[in-house]
Amino acid sequence: QVQLVQSGGGSVQSGGSLRLSCAASGYTYSNICMAWFRQAPGKELEGVASLDSEGSTTYADSVKGRFTISQDNAKNTLYLQMNNMKPEDTAMYYCAADYTVDDCSIPNLYGMDYWGEGALVTISS
């Protein structure tokens, strides 16, 4: 059973940076797709960034060049480094993992099996 425990989040001013972490347990690296999603108030869940088992990454157009997804295999931890943040980045952020997705890429990724508990990120202007 895969378990994902998130940390990070908080509030920063526009232009600031935050890093989200997602500690994973109970999984193997082969064929796993890991990703970050977010949901802003009143909006649908949105895929932000993905990382497949071969190390390929994809990003939503709205965060390209500002956000970076990465993984520390020794620590079994997924990260989302967020720079030059904007008020429209305000949302609950969730890490997610799945072994069976056909396409581990944004925006085609959906229906993940395992989810973190979420972390609130608030950007003030």
Side-chain angles (χ1 to χ4, degrees):
Q1 181 76 8
V2 177
Q3 291 186 319
L4 303 174
V5 178
Q6 293 185 227
S7 59
S11 299
V12 295
Q13 291 189 327
S14 182
S17 298
L18 284 172
R19 189 177 78 163
L20 302 178
S21 300
C22 175
S25 61
Y27 78 107
T28 58
Y29 294 115
S30 60
N31 299 320
I32 196 165
C33 171
M34 302 198 74
W36 291 96
F37 290 78
R38 67 185 180 186
Q39 188 165 26
K43 295 189 176 181
E44 294 185 351
L45 191 67
E46 172 191 25
V48 175
S50 69
L51 173 66
D52 68 17
S53 57
E54 296 181 353
S56 296
T57 60
T58 66
Y59 296 92
D61 287 343
S62 58
V63 306
K64 280 181 182 176
R66 301 188 298 120
F67 289 14
T68 302
I69 186 172
S70 63
Q71 181 169 282
D72 184 332
N73 292 338
K75 297 182 179 180
N76 290 341
T77 300
L78 182 73
Y79 300 103
L80 184 68
Q81 178 66 43
M82 304 181 287
N83 298 328
N84 190 23
M85 300 193 75
K86 304 176 181 180
E88 51 263 42
D89 294 322
T90 295
M92 282 291 289
Y93 284 72
Y94 301 89
C95 63
D98 199 294
Y99 287 103
T100 61
V101 293
D102 293 328
D103 184 353
C104 182
S105 68
I106 305 297
N108 303 317
L109 192 56
Y110 64 96
M112 305 292 277
D113 284 340
Y114 306 102
W115 292 85
E117 69 271 34
L120 181 62
V121 171
T122 305
I123 312 302
S124 58
S125 57

